[in-house]
Amino acid sequence: MRALLWFPLLSLLALTLPHLSTTSPTSPTSSSSQRPVIGILSQEVSRYDPTPDAESYIAASYVKFVESAGARVVPVMINQTEEEYKALFYSLNGILLPGGGVSIYSSGYARASKIFYDLAIEANQKGDFFPIWGTCLGFEQLAYLTAQKPVLVNTNTTSVTLPLNFTNEAKGSRMFQDFPDELMRALETEALTENSHMWSVSLETYNSNDDLKTFYKVLSTNTDGRTEFISTWEAYDYPIYGVQWHPEKNPFEWTRAYYAHSSNAVKVTFYFANFFVNEARKSVHSFESEEAVRKLLIYRHSQTYAGDQRPFEQIYYF
Ligand SMILES: *[C@@H]1O[C@H](CO)[C@@H](O)[C@H](O)[C@H]1NC(C)=O
Ligand SMILES: *[C@@H]1O[C@H](CO)[C@@H](O)[C@H](O)[C@H]1NC(C)=O
Ligand SMILES: *[C@@H]1O[C@H](CO)[C@@H](O)[C@H](O)[C@H]1NC(C)=O
């Protein structure tokens, strides 16, 4: 009798006090999907970094990219234990692998990427949705993780802004489904995508590699005049996305004259950020409590001005 009385009361409480649900990851009233938390992977500092004491960094533009579409960011540090990464994986709603200059084979960035990638493959296969976004180095890292062998070729693409060459698959893709036709035309005709890479996955490599071909759908390509390479892809069966170019630079980075800052350039950035954050909203992972996530948020860290030494205006150093 008492149990019968209490049951609807408790349900009512759970409904009217949504903040309570954050303490219970399995609660059907969990509001985590409207409060996505995305991990951004850090990487080893380079010799150009102005902060000799720091061991790792995240360029602030990646944080702004994610925040601009309504997600909060937790920095994912390198050199954590597998258990620590696993706990984070089941708390985060997605992870972004940023661009940069470290090894995709032997760095702390490479190690953490592999752990998250393997966990994401396993989870997604079980219907536990977890998106991964790779930008530039992150794209190359995804290629290596999927192919399980080096697949990159050298291209002359270290400092050039290009229009995208869409494949026939782009129109029906998940990544571009919400892009207005006008913006698709702009992407195709205006130089809106900034390339800062010397390595690429050539179309030739892709076409001769079954692991890549069956896993990723190519949505756009580009060429350096000699080699046609993949600039945007999405996995067929997983929420895994890669861009070889830099959507986060258009609104947030100013150190190079060839970065695109037009209204269309900034719209492109926002549509991609919105797409990725929407993917993260589908993940039901959550932190144990709001307190637990607040302890880890990027808000706890300060940005450093780095625009005189690095191609990033601001950097989080750890
Ligand atoms: C990561 O581990 C390596 C090797 O143990 C060490 O040299 C490096 O300083 C560590 N980096 C961080 C950020 O902890
Ligand atoms: C590399 O590309 C740039 C244009 O982006 C061009 O000016 C330069 O000549 C190219 N270099 C080589 C070696 O092809
Ligand atoms: C687009 O792809 C075609 C066919 O592969 C190629 O001939 C052309 O050069 C590419 N254009 C650009 C801008 O990358």
Side-chain angles (χ1 to χ4, degrees):
M1 188 65 184
R2 276 179 76 161
L4 279 177
L5 262 174
W6 271 102
F7 181 69
L9 243 179
L10 281 175
S11 316
L12 201 70
L13 262 176
L15 280 172
T16 51
L17 298 172
H19 63 275
L20 277 182
S21 65
T22 55
T23 58
S24 164
T26 54
S27 162
T29 59
S30 169
S31 54
S32 77
S33 62
Q34 293 310 315
R35 302 172 64 84
V37 180
I38 292 176
I40 300 184
L41 184 57
S42 65
Q43 66 187 274
E44 287 85 346
V45 291
S46 81
R47 63 179 188 281
Y48 305 110
D49 280 287
T51 310
D53 299 336
E55 284 176 320
S56 66
Y57 78 93
I58 294 172
S61 45
Y62 292 97
V63 176
K64 297 173 192 180
F65 174 74
V66 165
E67 288 180 347
S68 73
R72 291 182 293 173
V73 169
V74 164
V76 177
M77 304 302 176
I78 52 174
N79 283 14
Q80 304 296 294
T81 66
E82 212 163 326
E83 289 64 40
E84 285 170 315
Y85 285 138
K86 207 163 182 174
L88 257 184
F89 176 84
Y90 286 107
S91 305
L92 294 169
N93 303 113
I95 192 165
L96 188 154
L97 312 177
V102 298
S103 168
I104 56 169
Y105 310 117
S106 61
S107 63
Y109 172 99
R111 176 176 163 269
S113 294
K114 177 165 171 51
I115 293 170
F116 273 89
Y117 179 89
D118 289 345
L119 286 167
I121 294 288
E122 193 191 328
N124 282 300
Q125 277 170 357
K126 291 182 188 152
D128 174 16
F129 195 88
F130 186 88
I132 301 183
W133 180 281
T135 296
C136 198
L137 184 74
F139 175 101
E140 296 166 16
Q141 183 73 69
L142 288 172
Y144 174 61
L145 289 168
T146 306
Q148 295 179 49
K149 65 176 193 187
V151 287
L152 303 177
V153 297
N154 208 214
T155 51
N156 176 23
T157 42
T158 51
S159 44
V160 60
T161 302
L162 299 166
L164 294 180
N165 209 358
F166 286 121
T167 64
N168 293 334
E169 314 270 68
K171 261 272 185 281
S173 68
R174 301 190 300 278
M175 278 173 104
F176 289 109
Q177 68 190 351
D178 290 333
F179 277 59
D181 290 344
E182 247 176 280
L183 198 56
M184 290 299 276
R185 270 196 300 279
L187 263 167
E188 212 164 18
T189 54
E190 299 168 18
L192 303 179
T193 65
E194 199 277 329
N195 288 257
S196 304
H197 54 106
M198 50 188 295
W199 300 100
S200 306
V201 178
S202 71
L203 207 57
E204 196 182 336
T205 304
Y206 170 85
N207 281 328
S208 62
N209 185 300
D210 280 344
D211 288 320
L212 293 180
K213 227 165 63 175
T214 56
F215 195 85
Y216 296 107
K217 181 194 282 188
V218 178
L219 307 185
S220 77
T221 64
N222 281 98
T223 176
D224 68 350
R226 272 174 311 189
T227 306
E228 194 176 358
F229 64 91
I230 294 162
S231 42
T232 313
W233 66 16
E234 68 183 20
Y236 282 101
D237 301 322
Y238 296 88
I240 297 181
Y241 305 94
V243 286
Q244 180 67 83
W245 50 280
H246 285 272
E248 79 290 347
K249 287 203 194 287
N250 296 354
F252 301 126
E253 300 289 7
W254 300 86
T255 61
R256 301 290 183 271
Y258 50 83
Y259 293 167
H261 299 296
S262 65
S263 169
N264 279 339
V266 173
K267 272 185 209 158
V268 166
T269 303
F270 180 71
Y271 272 91
F272 273 117
N274 188 52
F275 169 75
F276 179 50
V277 170
N278 263 336
E279 288 291 278
R281 288 187 178 106
K282 297 179 194 164
S283 160
V284 298
H285 290 186
S286 66
F287 283 83
E288 193 175 298
S289 64
E290 175 66 9
E291 265 175 347
V293 63
R294 295 195 71 83
K295 275 187 193 144
L296 299 176
L297 290 170
I298 193 87
Y299 303 143
R300 302 238 171 203
H301 302 270
S302 302
Q303 303 163 14
T304 300
Y305 174 66
D308 293 330
Q309 277 128 305
R310 303 283 274 127
F312 312 115
E313 296 290 3
Q314 295 171 306
I315 296 182
Y316 290 94
Y317 285 106
F318 310 109

